[in-house]
Amino acid sequence: MGKKEQNKKVIKKQNISNDNEVTKLIKMVVIVTVLFLAFYLITVLVTNKDKTKKEEKPVEIQYDTVLIGNILQQPNDVYYVLVEDMDDDSLGIYEAYLEVYSKVDKASRVYFSILNHPLNISFKDSTSKTDITDISQLKLKGTTLLKIEKGKITKAYEDKEEMKKFLYVLAEIKEEKKEEK
Protein backbone atom coordinates (compact mmCIF):
# COMPACT_ATOMS: atom_id res chain seq x y z
CA MET A 1 0.00 0.00 0.00
CA GLY A 2 2.82 2.35 0.46
CA LYS A 3 3.47 2.73 -3.28
CA LYS A 4 -0.17 3.55 -4.13
CA GLU A 5 -0.23 6.36 -1.56
CA GLN A 6 2.99 7.80 -2.95
CA ASN A 7 1.60 7.71 -6.49
CA LYS A 8 -1.56 9.53 -5.32
CA LYS A 9 0.52 12.24 -3.69
CA VAL A 10 2.57 12.70 -6.85
CA ILE A 11 -0.58 12.94 -8.94
CA LYS A 12 -2.08 15.49 -6.56
CA LYS A 13 1.09 17.59 -6.74
CA GLN A 14 0.96 17.57 -10.53
CA ASN A 15 -2.67 18.71 -10.55
CA ILE A 16 -1.87 21.53 -8.15
CA SER A 17 1.05 22.70 -10.29
CA ASN A 18 -1.16 22.61 -13.43
CA ASP A 19 -3.78 24.66 -11.57
CA ASN A 20 -1.08 27.16 -10.59
CA GLU A 21 0.05 27.44 -14.22
CA VAL A 22 -3.50 28.14 -15.44
CA THR A 23 -4.03 30.70 -12.65
CA LYS A 24 -0.78 32.46 -13.54
CA LEU A 25 -1.79 32.55 -17.22
CA ILE A 26 -5.21 34.02 -16.42
CA LYS A 27 -3.61 36.65 -14.15
CA MET A 28 -1.14 37.64 -16.88
CA VAL A 29 -3.91 37.95 -19.48
CA VAL A 30 -5.97 40.10 -17.10
CA ILE A 31 -2.98 42.35 -16.26
CA VAL A 32 -2.06 42.82 -19.93
CA THR A 33 -5.69 43.61 -20.78
CA VAL A 34 -5.97 46.13 -17.93
CA LEU A 35 -2.71 47.83 -19.00
CA PHE A 36 -3.86 47.97 -22.62
CA LEU A 37 -7.20 49.51 -21.62
CA ALA A 38 -5.46 52.03 -19.34
CA PHE A 39 -3.14 53.20 -22.13
CA TYR A 40 -6.05 53.34 -24.56
CA LEU A 41 -8.13 55.48 -22.19
CA ILE A 42 -5.22 57.81 -21.49
CA THR A 43 -4.62 58.22 -25.22
CA VAL A 44 -8.29 58.95 -25.87
CA LEU A 45 -8.43 61.51 -23.06
CA VAL A 46 -5.28 63.29 -24.18
CA THR A 47 -6.31 63.48 -27.84
CA ASN A 48 -9.80 64.69 -26.95
CA LYS A 49 -8.39 67.43 -24.73
CA ASP A 50 -6.17 68.60 -27.60
CA LYS A 51 -9.15 68.70 -29.95
CA THR A 52 -11.25 70.74 -27.56
CA LYS A 53 -8.45 73.21 -26.81
CA LYS A 54 -7.65 73.93 -30.44
CA GLU A 55 -9.63 76.83 -31.73
CA GLU A 56 -9.22 77.46 -35.40
CA LYS A 57 -8.12 80.99 -36.06
CA PRO A 58 -8.52 82.44 -39.50
CA VAL A 59 -5.30 82.99 -41.38
CA GLU A 60 -4.27 86.62 -41.31
CA ILE A 61 -2.35 88.06 -44.21
CA GLN A 62 -0.01 90.87 -43.29
CA TYR A 63 -0.50 93.57 -45.89
CA ASP A 64 1.53 96.13 -43.96
CA THR A 65 4.68 94.04 -43.61
CA VAL A 66 6.93 93.72 -46.65
CA LEU A 67 10.38 92.39 -47.40
CA ILE A 68 13.00 95.03 -48.07
CA GLY A 69 13.61 93.58 -51.52
CA ASN A 70 9.99 94.44 -52.41
CA ILE A 71 9.67 97.93 -50.94
CA LEU A 72 10.00 99.69 -54.29
CA GLN A 73 7.32 97.52 -55.87
CA GLN A 74 4.30 98.51 -53.78
CA PRO A 75 1.19 99.64 -55.70
CA ASN A 76 0.93 103.14 -54.14
CA ASP A 77 2.49 106.20 -55.78
CA VAL A 78 3.64 107.71 -52.46
CA TYR A 79 4.16 105.72 -49.28
CA TYR A 80 6.42 105.28 -46.28
CA VAL A 81 8.36 102.22 -45.18
CA LEU A 82 9.62 101.94 -41.63
CA VAL A 83 12.53 99.50 -41.70
CA GLU A 84 12.79 98.37 -38.10
CA ASP A 85 15.92 97.25 -36.34
CA MET A 86 14.51 95.17 -33.49
CA ASP A 87 17.33 96.36 -31.19
CA ASP A 88 16.11 99.98 -31.44
CA ASP A 89 14.58 101.23 -28.18
CA SER A 90 12.50 103.90 -29.96
CA LEU A 91 10.44 101.54 -32.14
CA GLY A 92 7.35 101.97 -29.97
CA ILE A 93 7.44 105.75 -30.43
CA TYR A 94 7.85 105.48 -34.20
CA GLU A 95 5.01 102.98 -34.50
CA ALA A 96 2.72 105.11 -32.31
CA TYR A 97 3.27 108.21 -34.46
CA LEU A 98 2.74 106.21 -37.64
CA GLU A 99 -0.46 104.70 -36.26
CA VAL A 100 -1.83 108.17 -35.53
CA TYR A 101 -0.74 109.35 -38.98
CA SER A 102 -2.32 106.36 -40.75
CA LYS A 103 -5.76 107.40 -39.48
CA VAL A 104 -5.65 110.66 -41.47
CA ASP A 105 -8.15 110.61 -44.32
CA LYS A 106 -5.63 111.18 -47.09
CA ALA A 107 -2.58 109.73 -45.38
CA SER A 108 0.01 107.95 -47.47
CA ARG A 109 0.21 104.22 -46.94
CA VAL A 110 2.70 103.00 -44.33
CA TYR A 111 4.54 99.69 -44.64
CA PHE A 112 6.85 97.99 -42.17
CA SER A 113 9.87 95.80 -42.74
CA ILE A 114 12.08 94.07 -40.19
CA LEU A 115 15.79 94.57 -40.85
CA ASN A 116 16.75 91.61 -38.64
CA HIS A 117 14.54 89.19 -40.61
CA PRO A 118 16.64 86.43 -42.24
CA LEU A 119 15.42 87.38 -45.72
CA ASN A 120 16.40 91.03 -45.13
CA ILE A 121 19.76 90.53 -43.45
CA SER A 122 21.65 91.15 -46.71
CA PHE A 123 20.48 94.79 -46.55
CA LYS A 124 22.07 95.39 -43.14
CA ASP A 125 25.48 97.05 -43.12
CA SER A 126 27.67 99.25 -40.93
CA THR A 127 26.95 102.26 -43.17
CA SER A 128 23.73 103.19 -44.93
CA LYS A 129 23.28 103.72 -48.64
CA THR A 130 19.82 104.91 -49.68
CA ASP A 131 20.62 106.81 -52.89
CA ILE A 132 20.23 103.79 -55.16
CA THR A 133 19.10 102.81 -58.63
CA ASP A 134 18.62 99.12 -57.82
CA ILE A 135 17.14 97.67 -54.63
CA SER A 136 20.08 95.25 -54.29
CA GLN A 137 22.33 98.30 -53.65
CA LEU A 138 20.31 99.40 -50.60
CA LYS A 139 22.19 99.21 -47.28
CA LEU A 140 20.82 100.19 -43.88
CA LYS A 141 22.59 100.33 -40.54
CA GLY A 142 19.53 100.57 -38.30
CA THR A 143 15.93 101.70 -38.08
CA THR A 144 15.16 103.89 -41.08
CA LEU A 145 12.04 105.63 -42.34
CA LEU A 146 11.94 105.74 -46.13
CA LYS A 147 9.65 107.90 -48.21
CA ILE A 148 9.07 106.29 -51.58
CA GLU A 149 7.54 108.04 -54.57
CA LYS A 150 6.82 106.22 -57.83
CA GLY A 151 9.20 103.37 -57.01
CA LYS A 152 12.15 105.53 -55.91
CA ILE A 153 13.44 106.44 -52.47
CA THR A 154 13.06 110.21 -52.20
CA LYS A 155 13.83 110.70 -48.52
CA ALA A 156 15.46 108.62 -45.79
CA TYR A 157 15.35 109.38 -42.08
CA GLU A 158 17.96 107.51 -40.03
CA ASP A 159 18.80 109.83 -37.15
CA LYS A 160 16.53 109.10 -34.16
CA GLU A 161 15.83 112.74 -33.33
CA GLU A 162 15.23 113.72 -36.94
CA MET A 163 12.90 110.77 -37.41
CA LYS A 164 10.96 111.56 -34.21
CA LYS A 165 10.53 115.20 -35.29
CA PHE A 166 9.33 114.21 -38.73
CA LEU A 167 6.91 111.61 -37.36
CA TYR A 168 5.64 114.11 -34.80
CA VAL A 169 4.84 116.52 -37.62
CA LEU A 170 3.00 113.74 -39.48
CA ALA A 171 1.03 112.86 -36.34
CA GLU A 172 0.15 116.54 -35.77
CA ILE A 173 -1.37 116.67 -39.24
CA LYS A 174 -4.03 114.29 -37.97
CA GLU A 175 -4.69 116.41 -34.89
CA GLU A 176 -5.14 119.52 -37.05
CA LYS A 177 -7.59 117.73 -39.33
CA LYS A 178 -9.57 116.53 -36.32
CA GLU A 179 -9.93 120.09 -35.09
CA GLU A 180 -11.14 121.23 -38.53
CA LYS A 181 -13.97 118.67 -38.52
Side-chain angles (χ1 to χ4, degrees):
M1 272 215 210
K3 285 188 178 183
K4 284 186 182 181
E5 287 179 20
Q6 284 180 350
N7 286 340
K8 285 183 183 179
K9 287 182 183 179
V10 172
I11 291 173
K12 285 183 181 179
K13 285 183 181 177
Q14 287 178 351
N15 286 341
I16 292 173
S17 67
N18 284 342
D19 288 341
N20 284 341
E21 295 282 330
V22 171
T23 310
K24 286 180 183 178
L25 179 65
I26 291 172
K27 284 181 183 179
M28 286 177 53
V29 168
V30 168
I31 291 171
V32 169
T33 305
V34 167
L35 287 174
F36 176 77
L37 288 174
F39 281 112
Y40 178 76
L41 289 174
I42 291 170
T43 303
V44 168
L45 290 173
V46 168
T47 56
N48 283 342
K49 282 183 182 177
D50 288 346
K51 287 180 184 175
T52 57
K53 286 183 181 178
K54 287 183 183 177
E55 294 179 19
E56 290 188 29
K57 294 181 182 177
V59 175
E60 293 182 29
I61 299 173
Q62 293 290 337
Y63 292 107
D64 294 334
T65 303
V66 294
L67 293 173
I68 294 176
N70 296 332
I71 63 172
L72 299 179
Q73 301 168 353
Q74 300 309 309
N76 312 80
D77 285 338
V78 178
Y79 55 95
Y80 294 97
V81 177
L82 180 64
V83 180
E84 302 175 321
D85 183 354
M86 299 313 282
D87 298 330
D88 191 345
D89 297 334
S90 301
L91 280 180
I93 295 169
Y94 305 148
E95 290 172 353
Y97 282 143
L98 286 171
E99 184 178 337
V100 170
Y101 168 70
S102 67
K103 293 180 181 172
V104 173
D105 288 336
K106 294 184 180 183
S108 297
R109 182 78 188 260
V110 178
Y111 296 96
F112 299 91
S113 189
I114 299 171
L115 186 59
N116 306 74
H117 189 280
L119 296 174
N120 292 334
I121 204 72
S122 63
F123 295 99
K124 190 169 185 172
D125 201 2
S126 58
T127 58
S128 294
K129 181 180 178 187
T130 56
D131 186 23
I132 58 167
T133 56
D134 183 24
I135 193 66
S136 63
Q137 299 170 339
L138 181 66
K139 298 295 178 194
L140 302 170
K141 66 178 178 181
T143 300
T144 306
L145 178 67
L146 302 170
K147 182 176 183 182
I148 300 175
E149 296 181 43
K150 297 182 182 177
K152 294 184 180 181
I153 299 173
T154 57
K155 186 73 176 159
Y157 300 92
E158 295 179 288
D159 180 62
K160 286 184 179 189
E161 294 306 316
E162 182 183 351
M163 194 180 326
K164 285 179 187 176
K165 285 178 186 176
F166 177 74
L167 290 173
Y168 180 76
V169 169
L170 282 179
E172 276 191 337
I173 291 170
K174 179 184 189 294
E175 296 301 322
E176 289 174 9
K177 290 193 177 193
K178 257 189 178 179
E179 291 172 8
E180 292 174 9
K181 291 181 182 179

